Amino acid sequence: MKRPSFVWTAFLFLTAIGVGLPTFVDAQELSAENNHIVHSFTRTQLTDVYFSEGASAGDINGDRVADVVYGPYWFEGPDYETKHEIYPAMPQNRNGYADNFFCWVHDFDGDGNNDILTVGFPGRPGYVYRNPGPQNLDQLWEKFDVVDSVANESPQFTDVTGDGIKELVCTRHGHYGFATPTDGRPFEKWTFHEISPDVAPKPFGHGLGVGDVNGDGRPDIIARDGWFQQPRITGSFTRPRSVPAGLTYSPTMWTVTATTM
């Protein structure tokens, strides 16, 4: 993992009509050469302070307008001029890495208010910040340590098992796998399901994704040097024969080992 050689400036590109939605131009502006639509965007700078490596978007205050989450703040849409603190804000060293790498907006306890899952420097814990509700959004959010170690620099928060509940796909102590919230108790320690032996880079590693590689309708987990095929029975993954020669992965089915953290 190389140290950054440039100075971070924290901003997001927001479009004129909402987060992530391009403004379509008149048909006369279509390129005559390739007949493609030209998209136009308006840039809105949220802050010039470096707080986090990444950002996310979602409806925080329940007004059905996408808000932006960046480090310790969430910014109210649609103009993103008003910000609220989630946890105590501390500017990060521009010549180093932040203590917040990724975040996802999700309602973990089903109360109708979106919470925030954050992942920091590879190998550090993952936290869920509980939304205090529309009437209390000016106060700091309650913090829960749900995963003791989240490694790899490309974690994914998605439903990999097909049960309708999103999991945190990452590595932990050298094992590929995914962490699942405790059923009915999402703010307690999550369970990590190992799908590989101790073969993943520690704690960094680039390249980790989720997608249906073989077209069987089940999401697989993709690593930098191969992919894990999801079996018909949820609870185990297989390493396919397409793994590059010379690697030590076993081609046999691996039973998922569940570890409560």
Side-chain angles (χ1 to χ4, degrees):
M1 183 174 183
K2 297 180 180 179
R3 297 187 64 80
S5 58
F6 54 88
V7 175
W8 286 88
T9 299
F11 61 85
L12 291 177
F13 290 94
L14 307 179
T15 64
I17 59 174
V19 177
L21 299 176
T23 302
F24 291 99
V25 299
D26 189 89
Q28 293 180 351
E29 296 185 40
L30 293 178
S31 169
E33 182 177 337
N34 53 29
N35 213 31
H36 289 168
I37 295 177
V38 179
H39 300 286
S40 176
F41 296 85
T42 298
R43 189 187 82 176
T44 298
Q45 181 169 315
L46 301 180
T47 178
D48 61 358
V49 180
Y50 174 40
F51 287 113
S52 173
E53 304 280 341
S56 188
D59 183 8
I60 299 298
N61 55 2
D63 62 358
R64 299 190 177 183
V65 174
D67 307 301
V68 171
V69 177
Y70 173 65
Y73 292 109
W74 68 273
F75 297 78
E76 285 188 40
D79 57 18
Y80 308 101
E81 294 180 356
T82 303
K83 65 182 179 181
H84 304 264
E85 213 171 27
I86 301 166
Y87 58 86
M90 181 179 297
Q92 303 293 294
N93 179 6
R94 288 176 180 263
N95 297 315
Y97 295 101
D99 58 8
N100 186 324
F101 266 50
F102 301 92
C103 64
W104 295 271
V105 178
H106 183 73
D107 181 7
F108 285 96
D109 57 357
D111 65 353
N113 302 313
N114 279 323
D115 311 299
I116 299 171
L117 168 65
T118 67
V119 169
F121 191 85
R124 302 286 175 82
Y127 302 103
V128 170
Y129 290 88
R130 186 176 190 175
N131 190 320
Q135 307 304 318
N136 301 299
L137 287 172
D138 285 323
Q139 69 182 38
L140 297 180
W141 296 24
E142 190 174 3
K143 176 182 177 181
F144 298 89
D145 183 344
V146 295
V147 184
D148 65 345
S149 176
V150 181
N152 193 284
E153 294 181 60
S154 306
Q156 306 288 325
F157 184 59
T158 186
D159 180 12
V160 69
T161 61
D163 62 356
I165 300 174
K166 291 185 176 182
E167 294 89 21
L168 180 60
V169 180
C170 59
T171 64
R172 176 178 178 270
H173 303 325
H175 299 271
Y176 289 100
F178 53 91
T180 57
T182 302
D183 190 20
R185 302 188 304 277
F187 302 119
E188 296 184 7
K189 290 290 187 180
W190 293 10
T191 299
F192 186 77
H193 305 267
E194 297 175 357
I195 65 169
S196 82
D198 185 354
V199 295
K202 303 176 186 177
F204 307 116
H206 292 84
L208 187 63
V210 177
D212 183 5
V213 176
N214 59 345
D216 63 0
R218 295 184 297 275
D220 307 300
I221 294 180
I222 308 163
R224 66 177 185 175
D225 48 16
W227 54 285
F228 299 94
Q229 181 181 346
Q230 183 169 173
R232 286 187 173 86
I233 301 175
T234 300
S236 60
F237 278 68
T238 60
R239 191 74 186 188
R241 291 191 296 271
S242 59
V243 174
L247 297 181
T248 58
Y249 298 114
S250 168
T252 59
M253 183 173 293
W254 292 329
T255 301
V256 169
T257 300
T259 303
T260 300
M261 294 164 291

